[in-house]
Amino acid sequence: MTDMSAKTYRAIQVSRPGYLEMVDLPLVPPGPGQVRIRVEACGICHTDAMTVEGGVTDIVYPRVPGHEVVGCIDALGEGVTGWALDRRVGVGFLAGNCGSCAECRRGHFTACRDQRWTGVHHDGGYAEMMLAQANALVSIPDALAAVEAAPLLCAGITVFKALKKSGARPGDIVAIHGVGGLGHLAVQFARKMGFRTVAIARGREKEGPAKALGAHHYINSAGEDAAAALLVLGGARVIVSTVTAPKAISPLVAGLAPHGRLMVVGVGAEPVEISPFALVQNDVSVSGSLTGTTIESEDSLAFSVLQDIRALVETVPLAEARQAYDRMMRNQAQFRIVLTM
Ligand SMILES: [Zn+2]
Ligand SMILES: [Zn+2]
C-alpha cells in the first residue's frame, strides 16, 4: 500500500534496454483527460519485451513497462467525465485513441493512427502509481479480484476478440495453438463459446492442464504431425496461434478445413512463412488480431464472470519483477505471472 502522503512512488523502470531496476518516481497530478491510478496488480506479458529489450519501436527511456494494469482511481484530471475517485479500473495495451483521425471517425478505435501503447509510449503498470488516459479505462467487475482481472486486459481480450471475430460457429473445430498465458485463456473461452476445442502444445506436460481447462482434444506437436492430427478430427475451422515461435505456426495451415482461418495473435520477432499451395488448395485465410476496445474488454470481463473463466496466475511482489520477467521469457511462468503492489 502506498503512503499517500508520500511524494514519490516505487516503480520498476527500464533505464536502458535490458536494465530493469526499482526506482522512486515523483508523484505528479494527472493531466487533462487523464486519471491517476493506485495500481494493485499488473500482469507480465511477452509484449513487455518490446520495452525491456528495446529495438522494436522508438521508445524514450527510462520507461516503466506493463499493460495489464488493475487499480483504483486516485486522482482525476481536468475534463474527465464518467469516472470517479476510487472506481476500480483497468488499462490494457492500447493507451487511448485520439478520437479525430480517419480510423477513429470510422469507429475503428483500435486502428487509431495516433494510438499510444501502455508501457511503451507511456509509463505502465510495473509501479505503485500510474497515469492513464480516461478513454483507455476499463471498468472492473466486483466479482473479479485485481490479480484475476489483470491478465484478462491483454491476454484475455486478445484471444476473446480473435475467437469472436473468427467466424467459428458452435460445434466447429477450433484449435488453440500454445497453452501459455494467452492459450490457457483461449482454451477456456473456446470451450465456453461452444466450440469443439483442440489444444496444441509441445510435449505431454500441458495435456492435463489443457483438458482440465476445457479442451476436448489435445495434440502434442512435438510427438506427432499436428496438422495431420487436426485433419483426423475433421480439420480446423479456426486455429488461433498464441505462440511466439513463428516456425511452429507454418505447418499448422495444412490442418485447416476448407475455408478455414488461421488467426495469429502471438507476436514473435521472426516472419511466419506460409506455403501458397496450402493457402490456395483449401481456400484458407490468415489474419491477425489486435486486442480490442475498452468496451470489448468489458465484454470479455463480463463473459469471464458469466462463464467462470479465470486466468491461472502466480503472484509475485513488485520488487521481484526482474526475476519474474526473466522466468516469463524462458517460458517458465505457470500460465501468467502477476505483479502485486
Ligand atoms: Zn500484452
Ligand atoms: Zn485516432
Side-chain angles (χ1 to χ4, degrees), residues 74-121:
D74 157 82
L76 293 162
E78 194 188 313
V80 173
T81 56
W83 298 99
L85 291 179
D86 296 324
R87 275 283 293 280
R88 228 154 59 98
V89 293
V91 186
F93 185 62
L94 302 181
N97 62 294
C98 78
S100 55
C101 75
E103 295 302 330
C104 282
R105 289 165 62 206
R106 288 182 200 283
H108 303 162
F109 302 123
T110 57
C112 172
R113 296 296 96 187
D114 193 23
Q115 189 76 255
R116 301 286 144 156
W117 298 336
T118 310
V120 177
H121 302 112

Side-chain angles (χ1 to χ4, degrees), residues 177-257:
H177 182 212
V179 186
L182 276 72
H184 89 287
L185 287 165
V187 166
Q188 296 180 70
F189 283 127
R191 170 69 185 237
K192 294 290 171 65
M193 287 175 180
F195 307 135
R196 178 173 289 280
T197 304
V198 185
I200 305 172
R202 289 180 61 78
R204 281 275 159 223
E205 110 198 10
K206 293 286 176 72
E207 179 169 8
K211 287 191 167 168
L213 291 166
H216 297 97
H217 307 276
Y218 181 85
I219 295 172
N220 166 13
S221 59
E224 59 184 318
D225 178 340
L230 283 172
L231 293 178
V232 167
L233 293 172
R237 170 67 41 208
V238 169
I239 299 171
V240 176
S241 180
T242 68
V243 307
T244 51
K247 280 191 168 52
I249 300 175
S250 311
L252 293 182
V253 176
L256 286 167

Side-chain angles (χ1 to χ4, degrees), residues 14 34 47-52 54-67 91-97 110 112-125 130-133 290:
V14 185
Q34 290 185 328
T47 305
D48 295 343
M50 195 188 287
T51 303
V52 180
V56 179
T57 182
D58 49 332
I59 298 179
V60 178
Y61 292 96
R63 178 64 70 223
V64 177
H67 58 261
V91 186
F93 185 62
L94 302 181
N97 62 294
T110 57
C112 172
R113 296 296 96 187
D114 193 23
Q115 189 76 255
R116 301 286 144 156
W117 298 336
T118 310
V120 177
H121 302 112
H122 298 296
D123 281 350
M130 179 189 154
L131 296 177
Q133 285 297 125
L290 172 69

